Amino acid sequence: MGFVTELFARPRPQEEVRYRTALALLNAMSNSDRADIGIKPADFPRIAREMSMR
């Protein structure tokens, strides 16, 4: 029973906060900004995950 309590009581990892921030940043970019660096919306989750790991 202690495992279940620990699972729900522990704080969220920092990577998740950074992932959400990176994803919001990518979504906030204009279409011309995305075209300049060659990012497509389908790549957002992968790129945000890479950004959060740094």
Side-chain angles (χ1 to χ4, degrees), residues 1-29:
M1 193 67 163
F3 173 75
V4 175
T5 304
E6 180 183 341
L7 182 68
F8 293 108
R10 66 181 177 194
R12 288 183 167 173
Q14 286 296 98
E15 292 83 20
E16 184 175 342
V17 173
R18 285 184 277 186
Y19 173 77
R20 289 176 184 231
T21 304
L23 200 56
L25 177 72
L26 290 170
N27 282 322
M29 293 174 69

